[in-house]
Amino acid sequence: MRVTPHSIEAEQAVLGGLMLDNSTWHQVAERIYEEDFYRFDHRLIFRVAKRLASQNQPLDVITLSEALERTGDLEQTGGLAYLGVLARDTPSAANIQAYAEIVRDRARLRSLIAAATHIADSAFNPNGRDSTEILDEAQRAVTAVAIRYANTSSAVILLRGDQLEISAIQWLWVGWIARGKLHLLVGAPSTGKTTLLMALAAIVSHAGMWPDGTTAPGGHVVILSFEDDPHDTLVPRLKAAGADMSKIVIVGDVREEDGDRCFDAARDIPILAAALASMPEPPAMLIIDPIVNLVARDSNASSDVRRSLAPLVDLGHRIGCAVIGISHFTKGTTGRDPVERVTGSIAFGALARVVLTTVRRPDDHPEGPARVVVRAKSNIGPDGGGWSYEIEPIELDDHPGLFATRAKLGDAIEGTARTLLTEAETVAEEDMSRSSALDAAADWLKRFLAGGGESAGKCLTEAAKENISERTLHRARRELGIESTVSGFGREKTSVWSLPAGTFNSANSAASLPVQNSAAGMAGLAEMDYGAGYRGGSVGSSAIPANTAKPSNSGINDDGEVAI
């Protein structure tokens, strides 16, 4: 049946029902207004009924007709006869609430038609306005309809300040991780963020000790990971960190009548909330990796981020769970405020009550090489300061021969997040730049001398053509152990550079090895490349198969994983 934007029968049933049972007035009044009636005479009758109800007067046919006569509206409403028809043709007031909903729904349709007509007229006749102005006007018109016909059974709760109880923040780690609050752990890909969080999760799971010597309140930790496999990555790392695995919960698929499907962050947060609420004990910590996957639409749009994260923030607050999301720094933002560097909208950093950032210090840092976690922002406590930590491989006790990485928390550090991060990243970038220039110079020098010795002067001249500075070339010469043979005296004195005997260079690459020796040659290369720690292979994994030798620290890749 085609839905029309008016329903005269429903309006008549509402008015007739009011006259049959005055007690139904409040059921009707909380759903519809005078202007919701399509017919003008029905509006007049409802207006008078509202006034009589406010005066605790009856709403029967006689009282209504007399009130309408006093206002001079009785004739416009069809007189006493029409009021009698309304009351007579309405069998009961039992369904008056449903009739009122129909009246309200048809009024909403008429309002939308009116708004759409106005929008179309504005688009056809812009009168000097551009499309942006017309679009803003259209949005305001539709929003006005939505607000006008919002669910009237809902109501905003207003709380008086003197009726609110004061409560202290419940900390898992005082100053760092709080129950019921949203946190972010942000940093570059090379800082081992997931491994660090698994270490923190382990501490919570067995009520262990934080780096500052305080004890964590024990509790369950729920992990929602969109990137790492629980079997070969998350569980091995948790075990390596000493987690109580009975307190670890991994979010899996969603079970439905027609089978299981992958967890969809855009629509399954309410289902997750229900699952967590049904746990015997509410979880102490919820980890989301990465948090950007929870944004249904545009992660760079503040409104989309806030709308998508609101259920998560509410979930953490209601069950008293610390929520920690992992994110990354935007490239090319070194030196800026750490919170502003979070990938995506600034709303991520704004919504989080605590933002922790990670950075990797260079090998020649004055305080030694290490990864550092710094408190970049806190709305609920002090900010600044941090802790060092190292990523190290460890053999799992209950799986001999199987290795995983773990984060070992170290000493406290002082300073603001911006200063600590900028110092570490600037030194790291300069160190990387120097290393890259030195490597390039060394590669060029090996190729240039591959055919035999050359005079130092020619080496310097040709290197300059390749934009290699004299200082960098001399550093490369020392690194390679280039031999310098001096001959002659005075103006006839010359210095010849040559590669040390036995140097492996591009002229003797693996591609030029005889076929019959290729297997032995590759075995030798594997031995040379990996040393005592490994024997061949190039797969990155958090868990190392049993037939693999125990790795050294040099086997950890930029993601904090062991490379085998």
Side-chain angles (χ1 to χ4, degrees):
M1 182 179 69
R2 182 169 176 264
V3 176
T4 59
H6 54 76
S7 179
I8 306 303
E9 295 82 0
E11 294 182 7
Q12 291 172 330
V14 168
L15 297 175
L18 288 174
M19 286 186 276
L20 291 177
D21 186 353
N22 294 179
S23 67
T24 60
W25 167 254
H26 293 293
Q27 298 179 40
V28 173
E30 67 183 12
R31 284 173 172 78
I32 56 177
Y33 302 91
E34 175 187 335
E35 56 269 26
D36 291 338
F37 287 87
Y38 177 69
R39 282 179 41 165
F40 180 68
D41 55 344
H42 292 169
R43 294 184 185 183
L44 293 177
I45 296 171
F46 189 81
R47 180 192 301 171
V48 172
K50 179 179 180 181
R51 186 172 70 248
L52 292 175
S54 67
Q55 299 170 353
N56 293 320
Q57 298 292 316
L59 304 180
D60 56 68
V61 174
I62 301 300
T63 307
L64 273 173
S65 65
E66 290 179 350
L68 286 166
E69 187 173 20
R70 285 195 298 270
T71 60
D73 296 324
L74 182 59
E75 185 175 346
Q76 296 185 71
T77 59
L80 180 61
Y82 185 63
L83 295 177
V85 169
L86 292 177
R88 184 194 65 203
D89 292 349
T90 303
S92 167
N95 297 321
I96 194 170
Q97 191 170 316
Y99 295 137
E101 289 291 349
I102 294 174
V103 172
R104 180 170 176 267
D105 182 71
R106 298 305 186 270
R108 179 163 42 196
L109 290 176
R110 293 195 302 274
S111 296
L112 284 173
I113 291 172
T117 301
H118 177 72
I119 293 169
D121 289 342
S122 297
F124 280 117
N125 304 287
N127 295 324
R129 296 170 297 171
D130 60 25
S131 60
T132 301
E133 293 178 283
I134 295 174
L135 180 59
D136 289 341
E137 183 181 330
Q139 290 177 329
R140 288 194 297 270
V142 174
T143 301
V145 175
I147 294 174
R148 167 67 177 77
Y149 291 100
N151 186 3
T152 53
S153 62
S154 302
V156 174
I157 300 174
L158 302 179
L159 305 174
R160 276 177 42 183
D162 60 351
Q163 296 177 341
L164 296 176
E165 294 184 3
I166 296 176
S167 60
I169 293 175
Q170 301 298 310
W171 294 97
L172 289 180
W173 182 8
V174 177
W176 293 86
I177 305 174
R179 285 183 176 271
K181 307 297 181 183
L182 176 64
H183 309 67
L184 284 184
L185 179 65
V186 193
S190 62
T191 53
K193 296 181 293 297
T194 302
T195 304
L196 173 61
L197 268 187
M198 294 305 100
L200 301 183
I203 292 174
V204 173
S205 71
H206 63 74
M209 185 174 294
W210 296 114
D212 58 6
T214 60
T215 302
H220 286 81
V221 178
V222 178
I223 302 172
L224 172 58
S225 176
F226 297 97
E227 296 184 345
D228 293 315
D229 187 284
H231 302 283
D232 61 23
T233 303
L234 296 180
V235 170
R237 289 181 182 177
L238 287 161
K239 282 181 169 288
D244 178 352
M245 298 307 294
S246 68
K247 296 294 183 69
I248 301 296
V249 179
I250 308 292
V251 178
D253 292 339
V254 175
R255 179 153 297 170
E256 295 183 332
E257 293 181 358
D258 55 349
D260 296 350
R261 62 170 175 80
C262 292
F263 184 91
D264 183 353
R267 58 173 171 155
D268 292 336
I269 291 298
I271 303 176
L272 176 61
L276 298 186
S278 66
M279 291 175 62
E281 175 187 334
M285 181 186 291
L286 169 62
I287 296 172
I288 300 99
D289 183 14
I291 195 170
V292 71
N293 277 36
L294 297 186
V295 181
R297 299 180 64 182
D298 185 359
S299 62
N300 292 297
S302 178
S303 57
D304 288 341
V305 171
R306 289 181 179 276
R307 188 179 299 111
S308 299
L309 296 188
L312 184 69
V313 174
D314 179 65
L315 169 62
H317 175 71
R318 284 191 291 108
I319 65 176
C321 173
V323 181
I324 306 180
I326 295 179
S327 188
H328 303 286
F329 280 150
T330 302
K331 293 181 179 179
T333 58
T334 300
R336 290 173 52 185
D337 184 283
V339 178
E340 296 177 359
R341 298 176 60 187
V342 180
T343 295
S345 168
I346 192 66
F348 281 106
L351 285 171
R353 301 298 84 192
V354 177
V355 177
L356 307 177
T357 57
T358 60
V359 68
R360 187 174 183 174
R361 293 194 305 221
D363 293 340
D364 60 352
H365 193 277
E367 297 181 20
R371 291 170 172 84
V372 174
V373 57
V374 184
R375 188 169 42 195
K377 166 195 168 180
S378 177
N379 292 93
I380 53 179
D383 54 16
W387 298 87
S388 65
Y389 65 98
E390 289 288 356
I391 303 296
E392 60 181 14
I394 183 173
E395 183 177 10
L396 302 184
D397 293 337
D398 53 354
H399 290 76
L402 190 67
F403 292 83
T405 55
R406 71 176 179 185
K408 182 179 180 181
L409 296 169
D411 299 328
I413 56 176
E414 297 182 355
T416 66
R418 189 167 189 169
T419 300
L420 291 169
L421 291 174
T422 300
E423 286 179 352
E425 290 178 322
T426 300
V427 172
E429 289 179 356
E430 292 175 351
D431 181 69
M432 184 178 298
S433 177
R434 289 194 298 269
S435 297
S436 299
L438 180 61
D439 291 342
D443 288 340
W444 177 86
L445 192 55
K446 283 194 294 183
R447 292 194 304 270
F448 189 69
L449 298 178
E454 295 285 357
S455 69
K458 186 174 182 180
C459 290
L460 291 171
T461 300
E462 295 301 319
K465 295 178 181 179
E466 301 294 329
N467 294 319
I468 299 174
S469 69
E470 182 175 340
R471 179 181 179 184
T472 302
L473 187 66
H474 281 293
R475 289 179 61 208
R477 178 175 67 85
R478 290 192 295 272
E479 289 284 339
L480 294 174
I482 297 296
E483 298 174 352
S484 178
T485 304
V486 180
S487 62
F489 298 94
R491 294 183 178 181
E492 302 300 322
K493 183 179 179 180
T494 60
S495 176
V496 176
W497 291 0
S498 57
L499 293 171
T503 299
F504 181 83
N505 56 56
S506 59
N508 300 313
S509 64
S512 65
L513 292 174
V515 175
Q516 64 267 30
N517 293 333
S518 60
M522 291 307 293
L525 287 175
E527 183 74 23
M528 177 183 70
D529 288 345
Y530 296 99
Y534 302 99
R535 295 294 182 270
S538 60
V539 179
S541 174
S542 175
I544 304 174
N547 61 356
T548 306
K550 185 174 181 179
S552 63
N553 287 338
S554 61
I556 303 173
N557 65 21
D558 287 343
D559 293 324
E561 299 176 345
V562 176
I564 63 173

